[in-house]
Amino acid sequence: MAWFRPICVTMRSSASLLLRKPVQALTMIIFFAIAFSMLSTMRRRFSPRKSTLGDPSDCNFPAIFNFGDSNSDTGGKSAAFHRLPSPNGDTFFHKPSGRYCDGKVILDFIAENLSLPYVGAYLDSIGANFRRGANFATGGSTIQHVDTKIFGAGFSPISLEIQLLQFKQFKARTDELFKEATSSYVKTSLPRPEDFSKALYSLDIGQNDLHAGLKSMTEEQLKGSFPDITSMLAWTVKELYQLGARTFWIHNTGPIGCLPYSVIHFPPKRENMDKNGCVKSQNEVAMEFNRLLKQRVSQLRVELPDAVLTYVDIYSAKYSLISQAKKLGFGDPLGYCCGHYGDHYVQCGKKATVNGTEVVGNACSDPSVYISWDGVHYSHSANKWVAHQILDGSLSDPPISITQACQKRLNS
């Protein structure tokens, strides 16, 4: 060990200097190697969760096909009926984007995580490109069939069944066009036929079925309808499976009793109010729906042996956000940013006449501190937080990240 002695003694000769310099250089190399390793670890820890295309275990989905309601609508209802006005979309897109949000919905964050472009609405024909998927969701959609009662209550006629029919036509016509291959549009704007079986199929729907029921029946009657409603969703998954779909990412429904709309229109008595001020019984309705939905997904795993189905607990993510609102930098978890409820109703971005005076449903000055955008839908900031909680698989059954959702795993 005489090689180390020059470090510990006073320099007495040029020989000791020659020995000391290599040791100093080695020490510096070790120091920088440790520092680089620590920085790399910290960077991985605090970086956004994102797909790494080079990871052989990742699925590298070529496309996303989404079915749902306004929680994942990226312009369907806006294109089919009326364009959503500003300030919807202003925070991120700086213009109306067809989303019931000031910025991005959870589906947008899913697409980003998978390194895919935002999923365009199937009903939006202006500048549409469906090469990497299509979104069949529309605001106000339900799982159950739309009858005159549901339609009269303001819900969309484009139910999940209609969205499925739209997908069937989309796939059939795409297959036909690829066989003809007469234009460059086909190869640049439509999914390849082989992509349909490799794509991610996401479903985020059910909230409006709860809304419709709470308006027209007792909570117990609504719970009694859930077996039929969840069966309809399961039937849709089976139909998609027969068309070649194999990977499903299925969201449950959120804590409906914590929506500002619910607290305002169904003000809870003290015994029916939870710790956050939410309508406790309505949240129990949502949890019962989710319990049955999870059962249906488990049954589908047995019936569809080649499918990979991931059940995603959106409820827990959203309720956690509401419970930790102030800690996470948000304001009143039951407040909202855009529009007006209470003594009069003005939809976000719209105008209304109240007592002879025109009133505008303006937005707040800082949407980022609100969980709710308009009393019913979540803000860009809230959607971002929720998305980051679910994408790593910690709230999924089985517990698997979305980038690996095509892999068969044991259920939790």
Side-chain angles (χ1 to χ4, degrees), residues 171 196-198 201 239-247:
K171 184 178 184 301
F196 284 96
S197 61
K198 300 174 183 177
Y201 289 78
E239 288 290 301
L240 289 170
Y241 182 85
Q242 294 303 319
L243 292 167
R246 289 296 179 266
T247 304

Side-chain angles (χ1 to χ4, degrees), residues 43-347:
R43 184 178 178 182
R44 288 193 300 269
R45 181 180 177 184
F46 294 106
S47 294
R49 301 178 180 119
K50 192 172 183 181
S51 167
T52 305
L53 294 177
D55 189 336
S57 64
D58 283 350
C59 299
N60 297 330
F61 296 109
I64 300 174
F65 297 106
N66 182 70
F67 304 83
D69 52 31
S70 54
N71 288 316
S72 60
D73 186 356
T74 55
K77 185 176 180 181
S78 185
F81 299 105
H82 55 80
R83 190 182 189 193
L84 282 177
S86 177
N88 290 288
D90 284 0
T91 293
F92 180 78
F93 298 98
H94 309 297
K95 63 179 180 180
S97 64
R99 292 159 173 79
Y100 288 83
C101 180
D102 59 309
K104 292 183 281 188
V105 295
I106 291 175
L107 179 63
D108 294 317
F109 292 105
I110 288 175
E112 286 182 349
N113 188 266
L114 296 176
S115 299
L116 292 171
Y118 300 132
V119 189
Y122 168 74
L123 294 175
D124 190 357
S125 60
I126 307 299
N129 188 307
F130 302 119
R131 176 67 184 80
R132 293 308 194 105
N135 186 8
F136 299 88
T138 62
S141 292
T142 56
I143 296 172
Q144 59 193 310
H145 304 297
V146 178
D147 55 20
T148 54
K149 188 175 183 180
I150 294 176
F151 182 69
F155 295 96
S156 172
I158 307 174
S159 65
L160 183 59
E161 181 184 22
I162 301 300
Q163 293 178 29
L164 175 62
L165 291 173
Q166 291 173 340
F167 172 79
K168 287 181 176 180
Q169 182 177 175
F170 175 77
K171 184 178 184 301
R173 293 181 66 187
T174 297
D175 290 343
E176 290 170 3
L177 287 170
F178 262 87
K179 288 178 181 177
E180 297 170 2
T182 56
S183 70
S184 60
Y185 166 81
V186 175
K187 292 185 178 180
T188 59
S189 301
L190 295 175
R192 295 169 299 181
E194 61 267 27
D195 288 345
F196 284 96
S197 61
K198 300 174 183 177
L200 177 70
Y201 289 78
S202 55
L203 293 94
D204 188 339
I205 192 167
Q207 181 172 303
N208 289 318
D209 295 271
L210 273 61
H211 266 307
L214 290 169
K215 286 182 175 182
S216 61
M217 61 184 76
T218 67
E219 291 173 353
E220 290 305 312
Q221 289 173 331
L222 177 56
K223 290 179 183 178
S225 70
F226 289 165
D228 287 340
I229 294 174
T230 54
S231 288
M232 290 178 192
L233 189 144
W235 174 81
T236 302
V237 171
K238 292 177 185 178
E239 288 290 301
L240 289 170
Y241 182 85
Q242 294 303 319
L243 292 167
R246 289 296 179 266
T247 304
F248 298 90
W249 183 264
I250 302 172
H251 292 180
N252 68 11
T253 197
I256 193 170
C258 293
L259 297 178
Y261 170 91
S262 296
V263 176
I264 292 168
H265 285 274
F266 305 94
K269 296 180 180 179
R270 184 172 296 277
E271 61 272 18
N272 194 29
M273 182 186 298
D274 72 5
K275 62 180 182 180
N276 295 312
C278 306
V279 186
K280 184 179 178 181
S281 59
Q282 289 193 2
N283 281 347
E284 290 171 349
V285 167
M287 287 189 284
E288 174 62 11
F289 174 86
N290 292 339
R291 184 184 69 82
L292 290 176
L293 177 62
K294 189 174 184 180
Q295 283 185 1
R296 292 292 185 193
V297 172
S298 296
Q299 292 169 3
L300 286 169
R301 292 193 184 106
V302 176
E303 297 173 28
L304 310 176
D306 293 328
V308 183
L309 298 107
T310 304
Y311 170 89
V312 185
D313 190 3
I314 285 283
Y315 183 102
S316 292
K318 289 183 173 180
Y319 195 78
S320 177
L321 171 60
I322 291 162
S323 300
Q324 303 178 73
K326 293 185 179 179
K327 178 182 176 181
L328 295 170
F330 291 92
D332 179 4
L334 303 182
Y336 59 94
C337 176
C338 191
H340 184 83
Y341 292 94
D343 54 345
H344 61 272
Y345 171 63
V346 186
Q347 190 175 349

